[in-house]
Amino acid sequence: MLKLKEGLKEGGRVVAGGWLASKRVQGDIAFLVLFESGKELQVTIKGDNKRLLEKAEKIREHSSLIVEGTIHLTEKAPRGYEIYPTKIRIVSPAKKIPPFHVYGGNLPSIDKRLDIRAVDLRRVKAMAIFKLRHLLLKSCREFLSKRGFIEVQTSKIISSATEGGAALFPIMYYDKEAFLAQSPQLYKEQLIMAFEKVFEIGPIFRAEPFRTLRHLSEAFSLDVEQAFVDYREIMDLLEELVKYVLTEIANEGKEELKDLRYELEIPEGPIPRITYDQAIEILQGKGIEVNWGDDLGTKELEVLGSEMNGYYFITDWPLSLKPFYIMPKGRLSESFDLMYKDLELSSGGTRIHRKSLLVKRLKEQGLKPKGFDYHLRVFDYGMPPHAGFGLGIDRFMMVITGVNNIREVVLYPRDVRRLIP
Ligand code: ATP
Ligand code: MG
């Protein structure tokens, strides 16, 4: 909270509320740094104010304060001004000291920090991560809105699997069993019938008991779908989106990137595209035992990632490795993954828009078309050709911030072991 009663001018009266990040008492002068609205605000107590100096000595870091005083303009303070206080109220004293420092230093395990996540988020680096996350989402919305996409919200409570498989969380829905949606895939495909270009930013739920640094049970995804385009055009769109948001973040997130001591990498020129077949050749050339038709696992992606470096697409995957709704292309498919080194960021492709082919593919993947009645029936009403992708927001955040654990970029991560806070 900050109230500049007479604007920002020398001697102007000010009231500020914030929490104490650091305290330095040097002889007869004390510097308190408050965080107000996520930014540093310096309060300087001078020696002639004995009463406030004594009070300042007793305040624990993290306590919430309301400071009244006057403005002193100075280039030495973080905001270009400091407050000379006349009154300091400790509105909520900190009773405990967290096991980490706001400005860095040694960090305890992420588990210890997540137990008091709201306090952990007061660390400068954590704040920077979530400000960048805000920027990322804002610029995704900007980019897609400018291109004529509309943002949609689809239900996260569903009656059956979107993509088959057992990776669903069952829930009780009144007297019936229902599930948490693993992706908005089928809904976004339906919505292009009316809207042509849609996107959704929302949670996806995966009951895959992974214990990795890149999987969560609840992740965030940017889902995009567009009518009358194929996978190549949608790949172009994704490439432009990636470059746009990275450029925006580099410009608007300078301070935060500096806090993270991280150099953002913006791909220059086109993002390389290799086919799955080429990826297999590269891997075999490196002596990796991998056969055509195998999925690319951790080891394969590590080798490929060090070979390709940076961002790249892997296109034209074997049909058998992709979900039923992906358009076949002989034994291949019109599909792609966007990678950053060994990390998968996005999967996308051309979708099947002919009902008979969709039914055939469902059966080939051992799924019962009956269970997809609610979806298949709209295909009788002139479903246009379409394509799209899902981009993992948390995964993209890992690349943007350079952290290696996905839990660092999610406020309240959910994994096999963690359901609180
Ligand atoms: P992976 O092979 O890495 O497990 P996936 O191919 O199963 O991912 P998709 O179904 O293609 O994932 O989902 C689209 C995107 O959503 C992925 O590229 C990834 O960025 C993100 N994503 C998927 N599952 C998770 C998860 N469990 N945790 C975090 N992000 C995820
Ligand atoms: Mg994928």
Side-chain angles (χ1 to χ4, degrees):
M1 178 266 285
L2 182 69
K3 288 184 191 149
L4 296 167
K5 298 199 165 168
E6 293 137 53
L8 186 57
K9 65 165 199 187
E10 182 69 31
R13 282 181 306 141
V14 58
V15 183
W19 57 274
L20 183 65
S22 75
K23 188 174 75 174
R24 201 151 46 91
V25 185
Q26 289 175 336
D28 60 354
I29 191 162
F31 300 98
L32 308 185
V33 176
L34 299 192
F35 267 85
E36 182 277 322
S37 297
K39 290 203 180 82
E40 288 175 321
L41 176 62
Q42 185 171 305
V43 178
T44 306
I45 310 169
K46 300 228 242 63
D48 49 358
N49 205 333
K50 283 271 172 314
R51 194 179 44 83
L52 280 188
L53 266 181
E54 273 164 28
K55 188 164 190 177
E57 295 220 15
K58 290 190 203 117
I59 309 173
R60 271 215 181 114
E61 279 159 14
H62 287 276
S63 300
S64 279
L65 313 177
I66 294 180
V67 176
E68 285 179 41
T70 53
I71 296 283
H72 173 59
L73 300 172
T74 165
E75 285 308 312
K76 285 186 202 140
R79 297 191 187 200
Y81 67 89
E82 59 192 346
I83 298 179
Y84 288 159
T86 49
K87 199 167 152 191
I88 296 178
R89 268 202 300 144
I90 307 168
V91 283
S92 180
K95 299 201 173 67
K96 291 185 176 174
I97 299 167
F100 44 77
H101 201 276
V102 167
Y103 288 100
N106 284 342
L107 278 184
S109 73
I110 185 151
D111 267 316
K112 283 221 172 68
R113 290 187 284 116
L114 287 175
D115 286 341
I116 46 166
R117 183 56 151 165
V119 186
D120 179 49
L121 294 172
R122 283 179 161 179
R123 286 183 305 111
V124 168
K125 283 195 176 183
M127 271 194 273
I129 287 174
F130 289 95
K131 287 185 206 161
L132 290 176
R133 189 174 167 116
H134 167 74
L135 268 183
L136 168 62
L137 294 177
K138 176 170 156 263
S139 46
C140 286
R141 288 192 164 101
E142 260 166 27
F143 175 84
L144 290 164
S145 306
K146 279 185 200 160
R147 296 300 183 97
F149 284 78
I150 69 160
E151 184 166 1
V152 297
Q153 294 80 32
T154 64
S155 182
K156 302 303 156 208
I157 305 174
I158 56 166
S159 70
S160 71
T162 319
E163 313 192 6
L168 287 171
F169 286 108
I171 56 164
M172 277 312 294
Y173 189 68
Y174 304 111
D175 57 349
K176 282 204 265 316
E177 185 181 55
F179 303 93
L180 295 178
Q182 69 194 132
S183 114
Q185 180 62 34
L186 304 185
Y187 289 125
K188 67 173 174 168
E189 284 192 53
Q190 297 192 7
L191 291 174
I192 57 92
M193 292 185 78
F195 301 110
E196 191 164 327
K197 298 173 177 184
V198 297
F199 74 97
E200 173 161 4
I201 296 173
I204 56 173
F205 300 93
R206 307 270 165 118
E208 296 157 336
F210 288 121
R211 290 170 188 273
T212 75
L213 297 176
R214 55 183 61 176
H215 288 95
L216 291 173
S217 312
E218 179 183 25
F220 247 75
S221 161
L222 165 65
D223 268 275
V224 170
E225 203 69 27
Q226 182 174 357
F228 301 108
V229 293
D230 67 7
Y231 74 129
R232 298 201 176 278
E233 292 162 283
I234 213 76
M235 246 191 298
D236 291 342
L237 181 83
L238 174 55
E239 177 162 348
E240 283 173 50
L241 178 133
V242 164
K243 289 175 178 167
Y244 176 88
V245 303
L246 291 175
T247 308
E248 285 296 298
I249 288 170
N251 290 334
E252 283 192 52
K254 276 198 189 78
E255 297 277 308
E256 288 73 23
L257 289 166
K258 214 175 357 160
D259 286 340
L260 291 173
R261 288 177 200 90
Y262 194 64
E263 189 92 33
L264 192 65
E265 178 187 332
I266 305 176
E268 279 174 32
I271 294 179
R273 298 177 184 191
I274 57 166
T275 62
Y276 170 87
D277 285 20
Q278 288 169 326
I280 294 294
E281 268 173 40
I282 292 173
L283 289 168
Q284 287 173 343
K286 289 265 147 197
I288 303 294
E289 265 185 49
V290 59
N291 295 313
W292 194 94
D294 291 348
D295 206 350
L296 305 181
T298 313
K299 191 179 81 206
E300 289 79 22
L301 292 178
E302 264 171 25
V303 174
L304 199 60
S306 61
E307 201 62 14
M308 297 300 298
N309 228 333
Y311 295 89
Y312 60 101
F313 286 101
I314 307 173
T315 71
D316 304 88
W317 290 74
L319 187 57
S320 58
L321 294 178
K322 287 292 168 185
F324 70 87
Y325 49 79
I326 286 284
M327 184 70 90
K329 182 177 166 185
R331 61 175 190 161
L332 301 176
S333 63
E334 297 197 3
S335 59
F336 63 85
D337 277 10
L338 173 65
M339 308 290 302
Y340 180 82
K341 295 183 181 163
D342 63 341
L343 185 65
E344 179 190 318
L345 298 179
S346 171
S347 285
T350 314
R351 323 303 191 182
I352 296 170
H353 62 280
R354 232 175 352 106
K355 184 171 165 181
S356 53
L357 181 55
L358 201 52
V359 170
K360 178 170 168 265
R361 288 292 302 136
L362 275 167
K363 287 183 187 156
E364 281 172 7
Q365 295 220 346
L367 296 163
K368 290 199 187 76
K370 188 122 197 50
F372 292 85
D373 247 0
Y374 74 97
H375 181 56
L376 292 168
R377 69 169 71 118
V378 303
F379 282 65
D380 288 332
Y381 298 85
M383 171 66 83
H386 57 285
F389 62 82
L391 170 72
I393 291 295
D394 319 305
R395 296 257 179 105
F396 199 11
M397 275 303 297
M398 293 171 71
V399 178
I400 290 168
T401 58
V403 304
N404 72 345
N405 189 341
I406 195 166
R407 289 158 188 78
E408 300 283 3
V409 300
V410 173
L411 289 170
Y412 297 103
R414 292 286 178 264
D415 60 31
V416 195
R417 290 180 307 121
R418 187 171 279 276
L419 196 50
I420 53 159

mmCIF file of all heavy atoms in Angstrom, residues 96-113:
data_model
loop_
_atom_site.group_PDB
_atom_site.id
_atom_site.type_symbol
_atom_site.label_atom_id
_atom_site.label_comp_id
_atom_site.label_asym_id
_atom_site.label_seq_id
_atom_site.Cartn_x
_atom_site.Cartn_y
_atom_site.Cartn_z
ATOM 1 N N LYS A 96 8.101 -15.903 13.600
ATOM 2 C CA LYS A 96 9.122 -16.891 13.234
ATOM 3 C C LYS A 96 10.005 -16.337 12.119
ATOM 4 O O LYS A 96 9.588 -15.452 11.375
ATOM 5 C CB LYS A 96 8.457 -18.164 12.720
ATOM 6 C CG LYS A 96 7.714 -18.937 13.777
ATOM 7 C CD LYS A 96 7.206 -20.219 13.166
ATOM 8 C CE LYS A 96 6.528 -21.071 14.229
ATOM 9 N NZ LYS A 96 5.908 -22.243 13.616
ATOM 10 N N ILE A 97 11.192 -16.930 12.023
ATOM 11 C CA ILE A 97 12.108 -16.554 10.936
ATOM 12 C C ILE A 97 12.161 -17.722 9.950
ATOM 13 O O ILE A 97 12.454 -18.849 10.348
ATOM 14 C CB ILE A 97 13.515 -16.266 11.495
ATOM 15 C CG1 ILE A 97 13.427 -15.099 12.484
ATOM 16 C CG2 ILE A 97 14.501 -15.960 10.366
ATOM 17 C CD1 ILE A 97 14.675 -14.931 13.319
ATOM 18 N N PRO A 98 11.853 -17.481 8.679
ATOM 19 C CA PRO A 98 11.875 -18.595 7.707
ATOM 20 C C PRO A 98 13.298 -19.109 7.481
ATOM 21 O O PRO A 98 14.262 -18.364 7.683
ATOM 22 C CB PRO A 98 11.304 -17.977 6.428
ATOM 23 C CG PRO A 98 11.418 -16.508 6.588
ATOM 24 C CD PRO A 98 11.452 -16.209 8.044
ATOM 25 N N PRO A 99 13.427 -20.376 7.057
ATOM 26 C CA PRO A 99 14.773 -20.975 6.893
ATOM 27 C C PRO A 99 15.450 -20.584 5.585
ATOM 28 O O PRO A 99 16.165 -21.377 4.999
ATOM 29 C CB PRO A 99 14.475 -22.482 6.936
ATOM 30 C CG PRO A 99 13.096 -22.603 6.394
ATOM 31 C CD PRO A 99 12.356 -21.353 6.789
ATOM 32 N N PHE A 100 15.169 -19.394 5.071
ATOM 33 C CA PHE A 100 15.831 -18.927 3.851
ATOM 34 C C PHE A 100 15.868 -17.416 3.900
ATOM 35 O O PHE A 100 15.146 -16.784 4.681
ATOM 36 C CB PHE A 100 15.089 -19.394 2.598
ATOM 37 C CG PHE A 100 13.594 -19.246 2.680
ATOM 38 C CD1 PHE A 100 12.989 -18.015 2.527
ATOM 39 C CD2 PHE A 100 12.803 -20.362 2.941
ATOM 40 C CE1 PHE A 100 11.616 -17.882 2.624
ATOM 41 C CE2 PHE A 100 11.412 -20.229 3.047
ATOM 42 C CZ PHE A 100 10.826 -18.985 2.882
ATOM 43 N N HIS A 101 16.714 -16.861 3.053
ATOM 44 C CA HIS A 101 16.817 -15.417 3.014
ATOM 45 C C HIS A 101 16.122 -14.868 1.784
ATOM 46 O O HIS A 101 16.168 -15.477 0.719
ATOM 47 C CB HIS A 101 18.294 -14.990 3.041
ATOM 48 C CG HIS A 101 18.464 -13.587 3.495
ATOM 49 N ND1 HIS A 101 18.345 -12.527 2.624
ATOM 50 C CD2 HIS A 101 18.689 -13.061 4.731
ATOM 51 C CE1 HIS A 101 18.510 -11.401 3.300
ATOM 52 N NE2 HIS A 101 18.713 -11.692 4.577
ATOM 53 N N VAL A 102 15.479 -13.718 1.958
ATOM 54 C CA VAL A 102 14.737 -13.102 0.869
ATOM 55 C C VAL A 102 15.631 -12.843 -0.348
ATOM 56 O O VAL A 102 15.217 -12.998 -1.494
ATOM 57 C CB VAL A 102 14.119 -11.767 1.366
ATOM 58 C CG1 VAL A 102 13.599 -10.934 0.209
ATOM 59 C CG2 VAL A 102 13.023 -12.048 2.376
ATOM 60 N N TYR A 103 16.883 -12.452 -0.097
ATOM 61 C CA TYR A 103 17.751 -12.029 -1.197
ATOM 62 C C TYR A 103 18.646 -13.137 -1.746
ATOM 63 O O TYR A 103 19.536 -12.861 -2.533
ATOM 64 C CB TYR A 103 18.608 -10.842 -0.758
ATOM 65 C CG TYR A 103 17.795 -9.580 -0.633
ATOM 66 C CD1 TYR A 103 17.361 -9.138 0.610
ATOM 67 C CD2 TYR A 103 17.435 -8.858 -1.769
ATOM 68 C CE1 TYR A 103 16.587 -7.990 0.725
ATOM 69 C CE2 TYR A 103 16.672 -7.712 -1.664
ATOM 70 C CZ TYR A 103 16.253 -7.281 -0.418
ATOM 71 O OH TYR A 103 15.491 -6.159 -0.318
ATOM 72 N N GLY A 104 18.425 -14.376 -1.317
ATOM 73 C CA GLY A 104 19.239 -15.444 -1.895
ATOM 74 C C GLY A 104 19.997 -16.197 -0.837
ATOM 75 O O GLY A 104 19.509 -16.361 0.278
ATOM 76 N N GLY A 105 21.183 -16.661 -1.163
ATOM 77 C CA GLY A 105 21.939 -17.480 -0.227
ATOM 78 C C GLY A 105 21.496 -18.925 -0.332
ATOM 79 O O GLY A 105 20.809 -19.307 -1.281
ATOM 80 N N ASN A 106 21.882 -19.720 0.665
ATOM 81 C CA ASN A 106 21.544 -21.143 0.623
ATOM 82 C C ASN A 106 20.051 -21.363 0.771
ATOM 83 O O ASN A 106 19.405 -20.747 1.608
ATOM 84 C CB ASN A 106 22.267 -21.889 1.749
ATOM 85 C CG ASN A 106 23.727 -22.080 1.399
ATOM 86 O OD1 ASN A 106 24.104 -21.957 0.224
ATOM 87 N ND2 ASN A 106 24.540 -22.351 2.404
ATOM 88 N N LEU A 107 19.529 -22.257 -0.045
ATOM 89 C CA LEU A 107 18.103 -22.556 0.016
ATOM 90 C C LEU A 107 17.888 -23.936 0.603
ATOM 91 O O LEU A 107 18.578 -24.885 0.223
ATOM 92 C CB LEU A 107 17.505 -22.536 -1.396
ATOM 93 C CG LEU A 107 17.138 -21.193 -2.000
ATOM 94 C CD1 LEU A 107 16.475 -21.408 -3.340
ATOM 95 C CD2 LEU A 107 16.206 -20.428 -1.066
ATOM 96 N N PRO A 108 16.917 -24.077 1.512
ATOM 97 C CA PRO A 108 16.554 -25.428 1.944
ATOM 98 C C PRO A 108 15.818 -26.137 0.809
ATOM 99 O O PRO A 108 15.487 -25.511 -0.202
ATOM 100 C CB PRO A 108 15.628 -25.180 3.135
ATOM 101 C CG PRO A 108 15.106 -23.807 2.952
ATOM 102 C CD PRO A 108 16.109 -23.042 2.153
ATOM 103 N N SER A 109 15.525 -27.425 0.974
ATOM 104 C CA SER A 109 14.864 -28.191 -0.091
ATOM 105 C C SER A 109 13.547 -27.525 -0.477
ATOM 106 O O SER A 109 12.932 -26.825 0.329
ATOM 107 C CB SER A 109 14.576 -29.603 0.401
ATOM 108 O OG SER A 109 13.499 -29.548 1.322
ATOM 109 N N ILE A 110 13.128 -27.793 -1.703
ATOM 110 C CA ILE A 110 11.871 -27.186 -2.168
ATOM 111 C C ILE A 110 10.712 -27.638 -1.281
ATOM 112 O O ILE A 110 9.769 -26.886 -1.041
ATOM 113 C CB ILE A 110 11.614 -27.480 -3.656
ATOM 114 C CG1 ILE A 110 10.358 -26.740 -4.129
ATOM 115 C CG2 ILE A 110 11.498 -28.966 -3.941
ATOM 116 C CD1 ILE A 110 10.317 -26.367 -5.548
ATOM 117 N N ASP A 111 10.777 -28.851 -0.765
ATOM 118 C CA ASP A 111 9.693 -29.342 0.097
ATOM 119 C C ASP A 111 9.521 -28.483 1.344
ATOM 120 O O ASP A 111 8.409 -28.138 1.718
ATOM 121 C CB ASP A 111 9.948 -30.799 0.493
ATOM 122 C CG ASP A 111 9.268 -31.736 -0.487
ATOM 123 O OD1 ASP A 111 8.105 -31.451 -0.835
ATOM 124 O OD2 ASP A 111 9.891 -32.717 -0.923
ATOM 125 N N LYS A 112 10.645 -28.137 1.962
ATOM 126 C CA LYS A 112 10.579 -27.277 3.154
ATOM 127 C C LYS A 112 9.974 -25.931 2.798
ATOM 128 O O LYS A 112 9.208 -25.349 3.570
ATOM 129 C CB LYS A 112 11.995 -27.046 3.710
ATOM 130 C CG LYS A 112 12.542 -28.219 4.475
ATOM 131 C CD LYS A 112 13.302 -27.719 5.739
ATOM 132 C CE LYS A 112 13.682 -28.888 6.628
ATOM 133 N NZ LYS A 112 14.700 -29.764 5.998
ATOM 134 N N ARG A 113 10.338 -25.430 1.620
ATOM 135 C CA ARG A 113 9.838 -24.111 1.213
ATOM 136 C C ARG A 113 8.372 -24.162 0.843
ATOM 137 O O ARG A 113 7.605 -23.244 1.142
ATOM 138 C CB ARG A 113 10.683 -23.579 0.051
ATOM 139 C CG ARG A 113 12.091 -23.213 0.491
ATOM 140 C CD ARG A 113 12.869 -22.534 -0.603
ATOM 141 N NE ARG A 113 13.340 -23.440 -1.629
ATOM 142 C CZ ARG A 113 12.961 -23.419 -2.888
ATOM 143 N NH1 ARG A 113 12.068 -22.526 -3.309
ATOM 144 N NH2 ARG A 113 13.456 -24.272 -3.757
#
